[in-house]
Amino acid sequence: MSRTLYQLSYSPWSEKARWALDHHGMKYTSVEHLPLLGEPFLRLRTGRLTGRISVPFLVDDELRMADSFEIARHADLRGGGSSLFPEADFEAIKRWNETSEGMLAAGRALATARAMADSEARREALPANIPNSMRGWLTPMADLGAAFLTRKYGYGDWSVEACTQRLADGLADLDRATDSGRGTVLESGFCYADIAMAVALQFVAPVDEAYIHLGPASRRCWSQPALAERFAAVVAWRDRTYSERRRPQPV
Ligand SMILES: N[C@@H](CCC(=O)N[C@@H](CS)C(=O)NCC(=O)O)C(=O)O
């Protein structure tokens, strides 16, 4: 039996997949993806030779899954934990995941634009195994990576206002849903809607280092302090959800 998750350790989309797999106690080998340069390797290893490819990508024996939602559904079928997709709530969970995807896309556009204007963040974006002494003159590689992602996901001309509004709308929806004090997005209890929405705050107020490592400059670029302050109750909900439901990641 072999199960390999191709992923980006800092990416919220990969975090959705990891959380679902971990919730179900499913063991897997993680392979860190490198945007742009690592794409041919990813295609070769997954057998997805044409069309768009992104991570998380799960290869589970003969099965291949190229999307976090699909991976979480698969974990629900194969895993041993409580269901993250109770049948009666499936449509509601799908809608929350769409809200999460919209927020993440908007947040990524804002964070990439900021990182491209921040030399420290560009240095941090280089692969972890590049020594400090070489980071300075390799920084243009980070620019190429950012330009590649901007083109690939098509957010080059999205306005700051529209992206900020999309984040605010999602946060307001989540605020209303969790306002009852019950601790979960849906009445029926903890499910994938909680994972999708907890992770969606990553481009508003990144979660504690213990769960996802981000360098200080990237953390700055990924933060929206005004929104985090306005929706402090939602950020507190996310922090509680992490501390009650997610184990810290090994360093
Ligand atoms: N809807 C997809 C989106 C995945 C996605 O946007 N992945 C990005 C995360 S930044 C990625 O793979 N970037 C690196 C690349 O495209 O090479 C999912 O939920 O799995």
Side-chain angles (χ1 to χ4, degrees), residues 21-155:
L21 291 165
D22 294 344
H23 169 86
H24 281 296
M26 291 172 75
K27 298 267 177 289
Y28 52 92
T29 304
S30 283
V31 176
E32 189 72 14
H33 169 63
L34 179 62
L36 182 61
L37 296 180
E39 201 167 296
F41 171 81
L42 180 65
R43 288 189 183 283
L44 224 61
R45 294 295 299 273
T46 58
R48 177 73 50 102
L49 299 180
T50 54
R52 197 162 91 170
I53 188 164
S54 60
V55 291
F57 196 115
L58 184 73
V59 178
D60 195 343
D61 282 336
E62 74 293 352
L63 296 176
R64 270 140 185 71
M65 279 143 282
D67 180 86
S68 51
F69 192 80
E70 208 189 329
I71 295 169
R73 293 282 290 154
H74 172 72
D76 228 50
L77 289 176
R78 292 272 175 100
S82 61
S83 175
L84 293 172
F85 294 90
E87 218 177 299
D89 290 324
F90 184 70
E91 288 306 318
I93 295 170
K94 239 169 79 181
R95 279 196 300 278
W96 279 109
N97 190 55
E98 279 156 19
T99 301
S100 163
E101 289 291 315
M103 290 174 71
L104 289 175
R108 170 168 57 192
L110 293 174
T112 309
R114 281 200 192 152
M116 283 178 97
D118 183 320
S119 57
E120 206 187 325
R122 287 155 69 224
R123 278 167 67 106
E124 272 180 14
L126 292 170
N129 54 359
I130 292 184
N132 270 341
S133 55
M134 290 170 69
R135 289 189 165 256
W137 62 271
L138 283 180
T139 306
M141 243 176 78
D143 297 342
L144 280 180
F148 166 78
L149 291 178
T150 305
R151 222 181 21 257
K152 180 169 174 179
Y153 295 101
Y155 50 79

Side-chain angles (χ1 to χ4, degrees), residues 225-237:
L227 285 178
E229 197 183 322
R230 184 168 145 209
F231 292 99
V234 172
V235 177
W237 168 84

